[in-house]
Amino acid sequence: MAYPFPRFSSAPQTPQFLKGEESPESWQSRGLDKPRPHATRWLIASVLAAVTFLALLTMSFRSHRHQTDRIPFSKSDIDDFFNHFEGRQDCGIASTDVYIPPLATLPADQKHSLYCPNRAKLLDAMTGGGRHGFDTPYFPLGCHFRWYSTTEICMILDRFDSIVFLGDDTLRHIYAAFNMLLRENIALGALKQWELKESEREACRCENQLTRPECRLHLVVDSQSVSPNDATSGHSSPYFCNRTPHIFIPIDRSPAAADLHTSFSSILHREPDSYKPIAVIHSLSLATSLAWDTATSSMDEWVTIADNSLKNVPFLWLGPNAAGHLKPPSQILSQGNNALWHYTIEMAKEAQDRQLDALGMYNFTLQAGSWDGSYYGQKVVLVQAMMIINWLSRLEST
């Protein structure tokens, strides 16, 4: 991501001879050149300036993976989280179906320690966890992530100028869940409801938003198109907050089409004087048949555009889902779990070599139910969206 270089200046000081220094006459009597203490001091000052600059630059290192921060313990009852969401009863999803908070067995002043203390440990925990049985809630490794309320999500998003989801259909479905959370609507919150006929409103509810091709045609692709159109439709489902724009940019190759570069650049320069970061979630996997060179090319492609903007643009590389048991036999060799695991590991290394954060989804989806062997339903994508929100919560806001 792009960070402006810190400025450092050191004005030269007027040279002074210190007590105890040899006089110029004593040097001349020994046949030596007149010393230049001011030059020596300027050299020392320059070295100190360079060291300070490097220290400041290190503090601005791209990933900021080792900062420590305390997350306040949430006293809200997780059982009630989806109760006020539209579609809670129709879709049959309870909060405990997708997330179980850590047991609050510690004293009140230590409860924050149940959650991951910094971003690096958070990403490792969410990547390396597992399930205690097929399709049961996922447990991160070593420490926990938060399930934020909609009010808390809005506070997190307010710290950013924009949020960009950049990827193929796997990420499109996660962006769909991101919209469900912000619209507090798991029945139709991923869709452009103003485009739906009444028959489609019934046919596209809940899981069908993602599983039916005719419904996926109506998935929301950016927040700024929702408010003006949703308000004029007979079935309004507004965002709980809509102060930070977010968008999904579809990519399936590298280099991507020029118009997608233009869209991304326009987001980076939307607020030229803004100090807030523009967060990017980047993923590319099944659309390229797990081509390693295409993935690394895509990383370089989009990071270069971000760096050229001179904006603060943190990137999260999102690894692919594991293959479900319904994966067609013809795809097992090229897109089976062996290929997906190696792709996950190697692309995470490539991302970190580029100073990008990386979050793996292989463990998270390994024992989850998939409707076609490649893509997953609401219980999975809602948690994936919340994991991304957890990552956003740990990023610096300037």
Side-chain angles (χ1 to χ4, degrees):
M1 67 188 148
Y3 285 97
F5 286 104
R7 297 178 180 177
F8 186 92
S9 62
S10 178
Q13 303 296 315
T14 303
Q16 299 288 336
F17 291 106
L18 300 178
K19 184 177 180 180
E21 288 185 346
E22 291 186 86
S23 68
E25 291 77 6
S26 66
W27 280 77
Q28 291 172 357
S29 65
R30 291 156 55 188
L32 301 175
D33 291 336
K34 181 179 179 180
R36 298 182 181 179
H38 63 282
T40 302
R41 291 176 192 145
W42 176 242
L43 177 61
I44 294 173
S46 299
V47 171
L48 290 175
V51 170
T52 305
F53 173 80
L54 291 174
L56 291 172
L57 190 59
T58 301
M59 292 170 62
S60 299
F61 194 70
R62 184 188 301 276
S63 64
H64 296 275
R65 290 177 55 82
H66 300 291
Q67 88 285 2
T68 57
D69 47 7
R70 289 171 52 150
I71 302 301
F73 183 75
S74 177
K75 297 181 180 179
S76 60
D77 187 353
I78 194 67
D79 291 334
D80 296 332
F81 187 82
F82 284 149
N83 278 358
H84 63 288
F85 276 41
E86 182 175 339
R88 161 66 178 84
Q89 297 297 327
D90 294 347
C91 300
I93 300 179
S95 296
T96 51
D97 293 334
V98 298
Y99 176 84
I100 295 179
L103 296 177
T105 57
L106 297 177
D109 61 345
Q110 299 179 25
K111 289 179 179 177
H112 67 273
S113 65
L114 299 170
Y115 297 97
C116 299
N118 56 60
R119 193 164 83 245
K121 291 185 178 179
L122 173 72
L123 292 171
D124 289 343
M126 294 190 298
T127 296
R131 300 176 188 267
H132 302 307
F134 186 80
D135 232 11
T136 58
Y138 182 75
F139 285 87
L141 179 66
C143 57
H144 229 75
F145 64 94
R146 285 276 305 274
W147 193 280
Y148 291 105
S149 68
T150 316
T151 301
E152 290 171 321
I153 294 172
C154 292
M155 294 172 63
I156 292 168
L157 297 187
D158 279 346
R159 300 165 58 244
F160 296 89
D161 187 62
S162 300
I163 311 293
V164 180
F165 290 75
L166 188 67
D168 54 15
D169 282 345
T170 299
L171 191 61
R172 183 192 295 269
H173 292 181
I174 299 174
Y175 180 68
F178 186 79
N179 280 273
M180 294 180 205
L181 293 173
L182 282 175
R183 297 172 84 181
E184 296 189 328
N185 185 343
I186 54 179
L188 292 166
L191 303 180
K192 305 173 188 175
Q193 296 189 45
W194 61 91
E195 294 180 353
L196 301 179
K197 302 175 183 177
E198 198 60 37
S199 59
E200 292 174 322
R201 289 182 56 80
E202 292 301 318
C204 292
R205 292 178 67 83
C206 302
E207 293 280 10
N208 292 340
Q209 296 174 89
L210 306 175
T211 60
R212 291 193 173 184
E214 65 271 22
C215 300
R216 293 199 299 269
L217 294 174
H218 302 288
L219 286 174
V220 170
V221 294
D222 70 275
S223 60
Q224 292 183 307
S225 67
V226 172
S227 297
N229 290 292
D230 191 62
T232 60
S233 67
H235 303 278
S236 179
S237 181
Y239 288 112
F240 187 85
C241 58
N242 194 24
R243 296 181 292 272
T244 302
H246 45 86
I247 186 172
F248 173 77
I249 298 178
I251 58 172
D252 58 8
R253 61 184 183 274
S254 181
D259 61 317
L260 300 181
H261 287 181
T262 301
S263 296
F264 186 52
S265 295
S266 66
I267 296 167
L268 297 176
H269 298 286
R270 187 179 66 89
E271 295 288 347
D273 297 325
S274 176
Y275 65 90
K276 295 182 179 180
I278 300 168
V280 177
I281 300 92
H282 185 199
S283 182
L284 192 61
S285 54
L286 297 183
T288 65
S289 297
L290 307 181
W292 294 13
D293 56 344
T294 304
T296 54
S297 172
S298 186
M299 292 180 197
D300 293 334
E301 174 185 358
W302 297 101
V303 168
T304 298
I305 297 174
D307 284 345
N308 289 338
S309 74
L310 300 181
K311 291 293 190 72
N312 179 353
V313 189
F315 274 74
L316 175 67
W317 172 260
L318 201 69
N321 297 328
H325 66 282
L326 295 178
K327 194 81 167 181
S330 61
Q331 298 178 6
I332 292 297
L333 184 60
S334 61
Q335 298 182 14
N337 278 337
N338 184 56
L340 287 162
W341 173 250
H342 286 287
Y343 185 88
T344 295
I345 297 299
E346 294 303 321
M347 292 308 102
K349 291 178 182 177
E350 293 287 347
Q352 291 164 0
D353 286 346
R354 291 162 173 79
Q355 302 171 9
L356 312 179
D357 283 343
L359 174 59
M361 287 294 157
Y362 184 90
N363 280 22
F364 174 67
T365 51
L366 187 60
Q367 294 189 74
S370 169
W371 48 272
D372 69 346
S374 296
Y375 301 104
Y376 292 79
Q378 286 181 300
K379 290 182 180 180
V380 168
V381 296
L382 284 167
V383 180
Q384 290 175 315
M386 187 57 67
M387 287 180 171
I388 289 172
I389 293 168
N390 271 258
W391 173 72
L392 292 171
S393 75
R394 302 304 183 90
L395 291 170
E396 290 77 8
S397 57
T398 55

